[in-house]
Amino acid sequence: MTITAIITLLLITTTTATTTTTLPSDISALKAIKSAINPSTIPSYSCLGSWNFTSDPCANPHITHFLCGFSCSSNRITQLTFDRIGYSGTLSPLISKLTQLVTIDLSENKFTGPIPMSLFTLPNLQTLILRSNSFSGSIPPSISNLKSLETIDISHNSISGTLPDSFSSLIMITRIDLSFNKLTGSIPKLPKNLLELAMKSNMLSGNLLKNSFSELAQLEVVELSENLFTGTIPGWFFLQPSLQQVNIANNGFTGIEIFKGVDSNLVAVDIGYNKIGGYLSGNFTAYPVLSSLSLRYNQLHGPIPAEYSKKTTLKRLFLDGNYLSGLPPKEFFTGKSSVSGSLGDNCLKSCPTSSQLCLKSQKPSSICQQAYGGKVKPKS
Ligand SMILES: *[C@@H]1O[C@H](CO)[C@@H](O)[C@H](O)[C@H]1NC(C)=O
Ligand SMILES: *[C@@H]1O[C@H](CO)[C@@H](O)[C@H](O)[C@H]1NC(C)=O
């Protein structure tokens, strides 16, 4: 090859690089996405305000046009990451033409209408964040097509319907946040590499089923508070091998089974505001690193097992709002225990008000007598 030929080749290469032309179908998808948004909600200083199709989206440098809201890799759009400015409108189904998309983050805007079905065909999508919008409709079974999906956050929207069984085939997914929606039905079988599951504040119901949680060797965080779950919290639930934090407060659970968790990493458990009756088992104290436990506002009866007052890892203990009776373990009050929290609003005898654990007063004896069938006289 002659020097001239090499120079010519270089010139051609540089020329093509500076005039990178975005794949035409990606450009038309961006146009459709912008035009589905109400123009009055696109300020000139916003990312979408800078999307002016007289220039090429992926061509550098970006001086006045296409300043932000997306990323390219060579001539393809790989990320849609909108600013949180209150764009209102719908999400165009033509988003599915952006087949190289890896990340979609449209959080904290005012999108309405369904998540387009076509979005669930994007083969390379790893991150889908639509948090804090007003998306409605349901999550279709075809979500299982998103084979690369690692994170999904559609929290704070108006998603309804039941969760599809096909969820379990999302084998790359580690983080699911569908909190603050209108989901109904039970929890389907969950994908096996899940680390964090959050479905707080929906209308999910039924029992916690072994089938949903089987084989979840990495599950660390479960946030299912403010739903309509019922039945007995099964013993295996707390024994999941990687579990660290559980919040299942504000449901309709009526019972609890606690097996001793010798190898457990469980740090924090919140089961407050349910309808759990029966006696309080001391078995939670067998969890080696348990630091925070709430069973407040349930219907627990009987004594507080002394183990709770001797467990050195325990820093926060909320047992208030039950019908616990008898003398509270004195170790709580000897200055050795570092537990804070509350034992108030129970039927305990002689809870020393010098301790902040006892600041909230106990129930009136008439209520306690009624709770114990009038046979026991729990408070002198
Ligand atoms: C887009 O850019 C062109 C050239 O810079 C300009 O004339 C035009 O007014 C712009 N359009 C909008 C909608 O801002
Ligand atoms: C405490 O744990 C043991 C061993 O896991 C179990 O056999 C027992 O039933 C549990 N007791 C209560 C009251 O749950």
Side-chain angles (χ1 to χ4, degrees):
M1 212 185 276
T2 67
I3 292 198
T4 331
I6 293 173
I7 290 172
T8 317
L9 198 65
L10 274 175
L11 275 175
I12 292 168
T13 329
T14 12
T15 316
T16 22
T18 50
T19 59
T20 295
T21 43
T22 307
L23 194 75
S25 57
D26 277 19
I27 298 179
S28 48
L30 292 182
K31 280 183 184 162
I33 288 166
K34 184 174 174 179
S35 58
I37 294 168
N38 182 346
S40 70
T41 64
I42 306 179
S44 55
Y45 56 82
S46 65
C47 288
L48 283 178
S50 76
W51 288 17
N52 179 324
F53 292 91
T54 58
S55 57
D56 188 284
C58 294
N60 278 312
H62 297 284
I63 295 164
T64 50
H65 297 163
F66 287 105
L67 297 181
C68 52
F70 70 105
S71 306
C72 299
S73 175
S74 77
N75 69 335
R76 299 301 309 274
I77 308 293
T78 53
Q79 301 199 25
L80 274 189
T81 46
F82 286 4
D83 39 351
R84 298 164 182 189
I85 212 135
Y87 300 125
S88 103
T90 58
L91 182 55
S92 168
L94 291 187
I95 193 169
S96 62
K97 301 288 179 201
L98 303 175
T99 55
Q100 291 300 309
L101 271 182
V102 173
T103 302
I104 299 175
D105 183 349
L106 309 180
S107 52
E108 294 172 42
N109 280 295
K110 292 177 178 165
F111 283 92
T112 52
I115 302 167
M117 285 294 280
S118 62
L119 183 147
F120 298 102
T121 63
L122 290 169
N124 298 299
L125 195 64
Q126 291 174 12
T127 303
L128 176 60
I129 303 182
L130 304 175
R131 185 181 61 242
S132 296
N133 279 283
S134 299
F135 283 109
S136 55
S138 59
I139 295 177
S142 57
I143 191 168
S144 59
N145 296 335
L146 302 179
K147 295 289 182 221
S148 309
L149 199 61
E150 292 170 9
T151 294
I152 182 167
D153 181 350
I154 315 182
S155 61
H156 298 272
N157 278 281
S158 296
I159 303 294
S160 57
T162 59
L163 290 167
D165 287 330
S166 62
F167 240 81
S168 63
S169 53
L170 295 170
I171 52 159
M172 299 298 284
I173 209 162
T174 56
R175 191 169 164 259
I176 297 176
D177 193 346
L178 300 173
S179 300
F180 298 95
N181 278 290
K182 296 173 180 170
L183 295 167
T184 52
S186 54
I187 304 177
K189 185 169 168 50
L190 294 164
K192 69 175 165 54
N193 288 312
L194 204 58
L195 297 175
E196 284 184 47
L197 174 69
M199 297 187 180
K200 179 181 179 160
S201 206
N202 279 282
M203 292 176 283
L204 295 165
S205 59
N207 297 354
L208 294 179
L209 296 176
K210 181 82 185 163
N211 181 52
S212 313
F213 292 87
S214 59
E215 301 163 45
L216 298 188
Q218 306 187 68
L219 188 64
E220 294 176 357
V221 179
V222 175
E223 165 56 278
L224 294 172
S225 63
E226 297 175 30
N227 278 286
L228 304 170
F229 291 111
T230 50
T232 294
I233 302 163
W236 56 259
F237 185 77
F238 300 107
L239 291 179
Q240 297 182 80
S242 302
L243 203 59
Q244 295 175 17
Q245 290 181 53
V246 172
N247 190 345
I248 46 178
N250 286 286
N251 278 285
F253 291 113
T254 48
I256 186 167
E257 198 176 35
I258 308 158
F259 299 148
K260 293 184 176 174
V262 181
D263 299 321
S264 164
N265 294 311
L266 200 59
V267 173
V269 176
D270 190 346
I271 317 174
Y273 301 94
N274 279 281
K275 295 173 182 150
I276 298 168
Y279 291 101
L280 173 59
S281 155
N283 275 359
F284 265 134
T285 60
Y287 286 73
V289 291
L290 189 70
S291 150
S292 177
L293 175 65
S294 172
L295 278 156
R296 69 195 314 198
Y297 293 93
N298 278 285
Q299 293 162 17
L300 294 168
H301 285 63
I304 299 174
E307 297 99 299
Y308 287 101
S309 64
K310 294 169 185 162
K311 183 164 176 59
T312 51
T313 62
L314 196 62
K315 302 299 173 208
R316 287 158 45 86
L317 179 64
F318 287 90
L319 297 175
D320 47 318
N322 284 284
Y323 299 95
L324 297 166
S325 62
L327 291 168
K330 61 179 185 310
E331 288 79 3
F332 278 129
F333 316 115
T334 55
K336 284 181 200 151
S337 164
S338 56
V339 174
S340 66
S342 181
L343 307 177
D345 199 6
N346 276 298
C347 297
L348 297 167
K349 266 190 244 175
S350 320
C351 202
T353 47
S354 56
S355 164
Q356 54 85 22
L357 287 170
C358 301
L359 280 186
K360 197 189 287 177
S361 59
Q362 298 298 310
K363 286 186 163 68
S365 55
S366 57
I367 288 177
C368 291
Q369 274 161 16
Q370 202 177 12
Y372 284 88
K375 285 172 200 141
V376 185
K377 203 179 162 213
K379 209 179 168 190
S380 54

